[in-house]
Amino acid sequence: MAKIIGRPALPNMPWQDKPAGYDKPVWRYTNNPVIPRDAIPTSNSIFNSAVVVFGDAYAGVFRCDNRGVEMDIFAGFSQDGIHWEIDPDPIVFEPAPGCDPCVTRKEYRYDPRVCFIEDRYYITWCNGFHGPTIGVGYTFDFKTFYQMENAFLPYNRNGVLFPRKIGGNFAMVSRPSDTGHTPFGDIFYSESPDLTFWGKHRYVFGTAGGWQSKKVGPGPTPIETDEGWLMIYHGVLNSCNGFVYRFGVALLDIDKPWIVKERGNFYVFGPEVDYELTGDVPNVTFPCATLTDPATGRIAIYYGAADTVTGLAFTTVDELLGYMRKYPFPTTGEQAAQYAQKFQNQQWDWKFD
Ligand code: BMA
């Protein structure tokens, strides 16, 4: 078994065994969706949300669009990771010490991620600031929240922190975007000594065939393993009926995460059941968080379904790596040669030297 590193033991995390006869690498919780669209009185939809271990229970930051369909983020708590109490009022950020208060001006906030680093829970989200960019804040208790400077200039979405410093710096993957629904998307890597000044930008990878041909972007906090950073990412197909959001996996180099060691050619999960196929935006599965148990390799994935509700799905580190290796990104043939030219910094391209 590949070993999960740096995460707490979670013997009681939400879990169901893989159904007998099921041959795909990720399976749904049988009581999905875990969070309905109306879990708080004013919500139109609750999706693309992030949960973490908090003490001997769980906490999270939830994207709730209200019935004016305005996007904002809300704190919540759970004993079991399945039943959630979400605060009916949105998170209010205080300016972090040393940070100019003007950044707490609120336009809109969505698609939060939460990442514990060293002594606190960092929150990153898509933050309206003359267009979307990456907001950064932190909390110790999910009651008082502090906002720091935006990480980047507009336009960017999906800022996802690594759970520890890399090469002495904080590290983030993100997906630069445009002002609208963005007909492109590649994954980039950046570092910062202080979570305020970001640089050392690197290209990680871009779109490829089929399900990931329109855009790709980071999903949950990358999972550290003894084989590399296991990154679950979303991929988008532009079908004749609109975008379809699925997710797949890649393995990034542990010290230089912009180097892609391996990548799957097939998606591991996509819209298949009613609450994923139908909703405010049909055909969307959008992962934003995982819980893991290093002893068993279990992974629970929280994902937004059809931009309406939140689902839970299960897998293991070996299921994901096994499927990625069974259906690997092409490394021979014409298609592989094209990718080799496109993604010049990746280990599997070196086979073309
Ligand atoms: C993306 C983001 C997500 C959303 C997805 C599908 O660009 O805006 O919040 O889930 O589109 O609508």
Side-chain angles (χ1 to χ4, degrees), residues 218-335:
T221 302
I223 300 169
E224 185 168 8
T225 76
D226 59 351
E227 300 194 30
W229 293 102
L230 176 59
M231 184 166 80
I232 299 172
Y233 67 96
H234 63 261
V236 184
L237 167 80
N238 192 14
S239 79
C240 61
N241 204 26
F243 290 157
V244 181
Y245 280 73
R246 301 181 172 94
F247 48 95
V249 293
L251 196 66
L252 310 181
D253 185 82
I254 209 76
D255 299 318
K256 297 179 177 169
W258 57 92
I259 294 177
V260 182
K261 291 174 70 176
E262 293 175 74
R263 177 175 174 185
N265 197 32
F266 285 5
Y267 65 83
V268 296
F269 194 87
E272 282 177 19
V273 299
D274 55 0
Y275 54 88
E276 299 160 354
L277 298 167
T278 309
D280 282 7
V281 183
N283 303 320
V284 179
T285 53
F286 195 91
C288 289
T290 62
L291 297 173
T292 55
D293 178 37
T296 54
R298 291 174 175 174
I299 301 174
I301 304 171
Y302 291 80
Y303 67 98
D307 283 13
T308 305
V309 296
T310 303
L312 179 59
F314 303 113
T315 185
T316 67
V317 64
D318 283 347
E319 286 274 1
L320 292 181
L321 293 178
Y323 199 75
M324 180 184 74
R325 287 171 181 154
K326 188 169 177 192
Y327 302 105
F329 209 70
T331 50
T332 55
E334 200 180 308
Q335 195 190 13

Side-chain angles (χ1 to χ4, degrees), residues 47-48 63 71 110-111 126 157-158 175 180-182 215 234 236 243 245 281-286 304 306-307:
F47 59 108
N48 299 5
R63 169 179 175 174
M71 307 175 283
Y110 65 85
D111 294 2
C126 181
R157 298 195 187 145
N158 301 292
R175 167 161 75 79
H181 295 299
T182 317
K215 39 188 171 177
H234 63 261
V236 184
F243 290 157
Y245 280 73
V281 183
N283 303 320
V284 179
T285 53
F286 195 91
D307 283 13

Side-chain angles (χ1 to χ4, degrees), residues 94-107:
E94 297 176 16
C99 186
D100 187 325
C102 77
V103 301
T104 57
R105 182 177 63 90
K106 186 167 82 172
E107 273 181 40

